[in-house]
Amino acid sequence: MSENSNMPEKSGCDISARRGTVGGQAIIEGVMMRGKKHTAIAVRRMDNKKIAVSRKGNTSISDKYKFLKWPLIRGVVNFIESMKMSFTTITEGTDMLGLDVAEEEQSKLDKWLEEHCGKWLMGVISVISLILGVLLAGALFIFLPTFLGDLIVDDLLNLRGAAEDIWRNVVEGILKVIIFIVYIWLTAFIPDMKRVYMYHGAEHKSIFCYEAGEELTVENVKKHSRFHPRCGTSFMFSMIILSIAVGIIFLWAVETVWLRSLLKIALLPLTVGIGYEFIRYAGRHDNKVIQLLSKPGLWMQNLTTREPSDDIIEVGITALKCALPDDFEGFYEECLEKLKDEEESTESENAPAAETACSDEQTCESVQESEVDSVDA
């Protein structure tokens, strides 16, 4: 790497203009960073512990249809595209880990499926997984709070009239928060998720360091907070809080559980649009009101982020710089070249060792044959 590869090429760049220009996602042993023009993934390979990278240009349907960039509408578009990108990022990141199963270890069924179905089968499995995930999310965060809220308000609190309508939405919102916190808390017990949360912290710290205009080094990144107001965790928490207000305004007279659940799904675009505008504004401003409104979402990041180690921070920095070729010109190409040189070096080192092992084996066999001959003689 060049000595100046940590510093933006455009030193005169306005620091405030960087806010809100980069987003990211933590994955297994890696980080995805998305700039205005490019999206990059960096992962720590499991086989040789080297950092592998990939990059592609950003495309959005809103570039073709400008009205999709209007306030509220752009939030829905961004949410759908983010969900799609999140899924493809996880798949691509897993492929980059270097966990290819050796051909001799594959079962006959695995080989047959790979040969005859290939990408088609993986596509079907991916769609099924996505559908199941959406259904699970709907059951946990829409139907279950609605069902339990109806029991609490009607049977336990025994409220009637306007108070019933208001408290129904408040109770449902509280239940959503509780379910969300418990769900996130339980995931922290999964060993792999603990690592993902460390990469999540590295993502936030790296972005903070870049937005502050500092040199992207491990030491500089470590100084920054792992709690970012533009985080997806804050967005989800904001959505839950906003759903209370949306429910009071639009669902005040609806009591049937299944109908309330369906109407909540129908109102999701509005909730998502408002939540996106708030997170977007919060990421670009830092006044007292925004700090107060952002605190609940930032508190939640105590569960979804962990302090990263130096090697994890290095992955976050690599992903960020690869996603910003205008600021770090040539860095991505240097990463690819370095990884290629290291792989070639490893292959060249292993080749003589294999030949020596083969030679030693042949010598050993020759000695054994000689011993056999001498005994026979």
Side-chain angles (χ1 to χ4, degrees), residues 171-205:
V171 170
E172 288 177 5
I174 294 173
L175 289 171
K176 286 180 184 179
V177 172
I178 294 174
I179 293 172
F180 184 59
I181 292 175
V182 171
Y183 175 81
I184 297 298
W185 177 72
L186 289 175
T187 61
F189 288 95
I190 304 174
D192 286 342
M193 286 304 299
K194 289 182 180 179
R195 295 278 296 175
V196 171
Y197 291 157
M198 292 175 71
Y199 278 99
H200 193 189
E203 172 214 331
H204 287 180
K205 285 173 169 284

Coordinates of all heavy atoms in Angstrom, one line a residue, residues 171-205:
V171 N -49.8 0.3 24.2 CA -49.4 -1.1 24.7 C -48.8 -1.9 23.6 O -47.8 -2.6 23.8 CB -50.7 -1.8 25.3 CG1 -50.4 -3.3 25.5 CG2 -51.1 -1.1 26.5
E172 N -49.3 -1.8 22.4 CA -48.7 -2.6 21.3 C -47.3 -2.1 21.0 O -46.4 -2.9 20.7 CB -49.6 -2.4 20.0 CG -50.9 -3.2 20.1 CD -51.8 -2.9 18.9 OE1 -51.4 -2.3 18.0 OE2 -53.0 -3.4 18.9
G173 N -47.1 -0.8 21.1 CA -45.8 -0.2 20.8 C -44.8 -0.7 21.9 O -43.7 -1.1 21.6
I174 N -45.2 -0.7 23.2 CA -44.4 -1.2 24.2 C -44.0 -2.7 24.1 O -42.9 -3.1 24.3 CB -45.1 -1.0 25.6 CG1 -45.2 0.5 25.9 CG2 -44.3 -1.6 26.7 CD1 -46.0 0.9 27.1
L175 N -45.0 -3.4 23.7 CA -44.8 -4.9 23.4 C -43.8 -5.1 22.3 O -42.9 -6.0 22.3 CB -46.1 -5.6 23.1 CG -47.1 -5.8 24.3 CD1 -48.4 -6.3 23.8 CD2 -46.5 -6.7 25.3
K176 N -43.9 -4.3 21.2 CA -42.9 -4.3 20.1 C -41.5 -4.1 20.6 O -40.6 -4.8 20.2 CB -43.3 -3.3 19.0 CG -44.5 -3.7 18.2 CD -44.8 -2.7 17.1 CE -46.0 -3.0 16.4 NZ -46.3 -1.9 15.3
V177 N -41.4 -3.0 21.4 CA -40.0 -2.7 22.0 C -39.5 -3.9 22.8 O -38.3 -4.2 22.7 CB -40.1 -1.4 22.8 CG1 -38.8 -1.2 23.6 CG2 -40.5 -0.2 22.0
I178 N -40.3 -4.4 23.6 CA -39.9 -5.6 24.5 C -39.5 -6.8 23.6 O -38.4 -7.4 23.8 CB -41.0 -6.0 25.5 CG1 -41.3 -4.9 26.5 CG2 -40.6 -7.3 26.2 CD1 -42.5 -5.1 27.4
I179 N -40.3 -7.1 22.6 CA -40.0 -8.2 21.7 C -38.7 -8.0 21.0 O -37.8 -8.8 20.8 CB -41.1 -8.5 20.8 CG1 -42.4 -9.0 21.5 CG2 -40.7 -9.5 19.7 CD1 -43.6 -9.1 20.7
F180 N -38.5 -6.7 20.5 CA -37.3 -6.4 19.8 C -36.1 -6.5 20.6 O -35.0 -7.0 20.2 CB -37.5 -4.9 19.3 CG -36.3 -4.4 18.4 CD1 -36.0 -5.1 17.2 CD2 -35.6 -3.3 18.7 CE1 -35.0 -4.7 16.4 CE2 -34.5 -2.9 18.0 CZ -34.2 -3.6 16.8
I181 N -36.2 -6.0 21.9 CA -35.0 -6.0 22.8 C -34.7 -7.5 23.1 O -33.5 -7.9 23.1 CB -35.3 -5.2 24.1 CG1 -35.4 -3.7 23.7 CG2 -34.2 -5.5 25.1 CD1 -35.8 -2.9 24.9
V182 N -35.7 -8.3 23.4 CA -35.4 -9.7 23.8 C -34.8 -10.4 22.6 O -33.9 -11.2 22.8 CB -36.7 -10.4 24.2 CG1 -36.5 -11.9 24.4 CG2 -37.2 -9.7 25.5
Y183 N -35.3 -10.2 21.4 CA -34.8 -10.8 20.2 C -33.4 -10.5 20.0 O -32.5 -11.4 19.8 CB -35.7 -10.4 19.0 CG -35.2 -10.9 17.7 CD1 -35.5 -12.2 17.3 CD2 -34.4 -10.1 16.8 CE1 -35.0 -12.7 16.0 CE2 -33.9 -10.6 15.6 CZ -34.3 -11.9 15.2 OH -33.8 -12.4 14.0
I184 N -33.0 -9.2 20.1 CA -31.6 -8.8 19.9 C -30.7 -9.4 21.0 O -29.6 -9.9 20.7 CB -31.5 -7.3 19.8 CG1 -32.2 -6.7 18.6 CG2 -30.0 -6.9 19.8 CD1 -31.7 -7.2 17.3
W185 N -31.2 -9.4 22.2 CA -30.5 -9.9 23.4 C -30.2 -11.4 23.2 O -29.1 -11.8 23.5 CB -31.3 -9.6 24.6 CG -30.6 -10.2 25.9 CD1 -29.5 -9.7 26.5 CD2 -31.1 -11.3 26.6 NE1 -29.2 -10.5 27.6 CE2 -30.2 -11.5 27.7 CE3 -32.1 -12.2 26.5 CZ2 -30.3 -12.5 28.7 CZ3 -32.3 -13.2 27.5 CH2 -31.4 -13.3 28.5
L186 N -31.1 -12.1 22.7 CA -30.9 -13.6 22.5 C -29.9 -13.9 21.5 O -29.1 -14.8 21.6 CB -32.3 -14.3 22.2 CG -33.3 -14.3 23.3 CD1 -34.6 -14.9 22.8 CD2 -32.7 -15.2 24.5
T187 N -29.9 -13.1 20.4 CA -28.9 -13.3 19.3 C -27.5 -13.1 19.8 O -26.6 -13.7 19.2 CB -29.2 -12.3 18.1 OG1 -29.0 -11.0 18.6 CG2 -30.6 -12.6 17.6
A188 N -27.3 -12.3 20.9 CA -25.9 -12.1 21.4 C -25.3 -13.3 22.0 O -24.1 -13.4 22.2 CB -26.0 -10.9 22.4
F189 N -26.1 -14.3 22.3 CA -25.6 -15.6 22.8 C -25.1 -16.5 21.7 O -24.4 -17.5 22.0 CB -26.7 -16.3 23.6 CG -27.1 -15.6 24.9 CD1 -28.1 -14.8 25.0 CD2 -26.3 -15.9 26.0 CE1 -28.5 -14.1 26.2 CE2 -26.6 -15.3 27.2 CZ -27.7 -14.4 27.3
I190 N -25.3 -16.2 20.5 CA -24.7 -17.0 19.4 C -23.3 -16.5 19.1 O -23.1 -15.3 18.9 CB -25.6 -16.8 18.1 CG1 -27.1 -17.1 18.4 CG2 -25.0 -17.6 16.9 CD1 -28.0 -16.8 17.2
P191 N -22.3 -17.4 19.2 CA -20.9 -17.0 19.1 C -20.6 -16.2 17.8 O -19.9 -15.2 17.9 CB -20.2 -18.3 19.1 CG -21.0 -19.2 19.9 CD -22.4 -18.8 19.5
D192 N -21.1 -16.7 16.7 CA -20.9 -15.9 15.4 C -21.5 -14.5 15.4 O -20.9 -13.6 14.8 CB -21.4 -16.7 14.3 CG -20.6 -18.0 13.9 OD1 -19.4 -18.0 14.4 OD2 -21.1 -18.9 13.3
M193 N -22.6 -14.4 16.1 CA -23.2 -13.1 16.1 C -22.4 -12.1 17.0 O -22.4 -10.9 16.7 CB -24.7 -13.2 16.7 CG -25.6 -13.8 15.7 SD -25.7 -12.9 14.1 CE -26.2 -11.3 14.6
K194 N -21.7 -12.6 18.0 CA -20.9 -11.7 18.8 C -19.8 -11.1 17.9 O -19.5 -9.9 18.0 CB -20.2 -12.5 20.0 CG -21.2 -12.9 21.1 CD -20.5 -13.6 22.2 CE -21.4 -14.0 23.3 NZ -20.7 -14.7 24.4
R195 N -19.3 -11.9 17.0 CA -18.2 -11.4 16.1 C -18.9 -10.4 15.1 O -18.3 -9.4 14.8 CB -17.6 -12.6 15.3 CG -16.9 -13.6 16.2 CD -15.5 -13.1 16.4 NE -14.7 -13.0 15.2 CZ -13.4 -12.5 15.2 NH1 -12.9 -12.1 16.3 NH2 -12.8 -12.4 14.0
V196 N -20.1 -10.7 14.7 CA -20.7 -9.8 13.7 C -21.0 -8.4 14.4 O -20.8 -7.4 13.8 CB -22.1 -10.4 13.3 CG1 -22.9 -9.3 12.5 CG2 -21.9 -11.6 12.4
Y197 N -21.3 -8.4 15.7 CA -21.6 -7.2 16.4 C -20.2 -6.4 16.6 O -20.3 -5.2 16.7 CB -22.2 -7.5 17.8 CG -23.6 -8.0 17.7 CD1 -24.2 -8.7 18.7 CD2 -24.4 -7.7 16.5 CE1 -25.5 -9.1 18.6 CE2 -25.7 -8.1 16.4 CZ -26.3 -8.8 17.5 OH -27.6 -9.3 17.4
M198 N -19.1 -7.1 16.7 CA -17.8 -6.4 16.7 C -17.5 -5.8 15.4 O -17.0 -4.6 15.3 CB -16.7 -7.4 17.1 CG -16.8 -8.0 18.5 SD -15.6 -9.2 18.9 CE -14.1 -8.2 18.9
Y199 N -17.9 -6.5 14.3 CA -17.7 -5.8 13.0 C -18.7 -4.7 12.8 O -18.3 -3.7 12.1 CB -17.9 -6.9 11.9 CG -16.7 -7.8 11.6 CD1 -16.6 -9.0 12.2 CD2 -15.7 -7.3 10.8 CE1 -15.5 -9.8 11.9 CE2 -14.5 -8.1 10.5 CZ -14.4 -9.3 11.1 OH -13.3 -10.1 10.9
H200 N -19.8 -4.8 13.4 CA -20.8 -3.7 13.4 C -20.2 -2.4 14.1 O -20.3 -1.3 13.6 CB -22.1 -4.1 14.1 CG -23.2 -3.2 13.8 ND1 -24.4 -3.3 14.5 CD2 -23.4 -2.1 13.0 CE1 -25.2 -2.3 14.1 NE2 -24.6 -1.6 13.2
G201 N -19.5 -2.7 15.2 CA -18.8 -1.6 15.9 C -17.7 -1.0 15.0 O -17.5 0.3 15.0
A202 N -17.0 -1.8 14.3 CA -15.9 -1.3 13.5 C -16.4 -0.5 12.3 O -15.8 0.5 11.9 CB -15.1 -2.5 12.9
E203 N -17.6 -0.9 11.8 CA -18.2 -0.2 10.7 C -18.6 1.2 11.2 O -18.2 2.2 10.5 CB -19.5 -0.9 10.3 CG -20.4 -0.1 9.3 CD -21.8 -0.4 9.5 OE1 -22.2 -1.5 10.0 OE2 -22.6 0.6 9.2
H204 N -19.2 1.4 12.3 CA -19.6 2.7 12.8 C -18.4 3.5 13.1 O -18.3 4.7 12.8 CB -20.4 2.5 14.1 CG -21.8 2.0 13.9 ND1 -22.7 1.8 14.9 CD2 -22.4 1.7 12.7 CE1 -23.8 1.4 14.4 NE2 -23.7 1.3 13.1
K205 N -17.4 3.0 13.8 CA -16.2 3.7 14.1 C -15.4 4.2 12.9 O -14.9 5.4 12.8 CB -15.2 2.8 15.0 CG -15.7 2.6 16.4 CD -14.8 1.6 17.1 CE -15.0 1.6 18.6 NZ -14.4 2.7 19.3

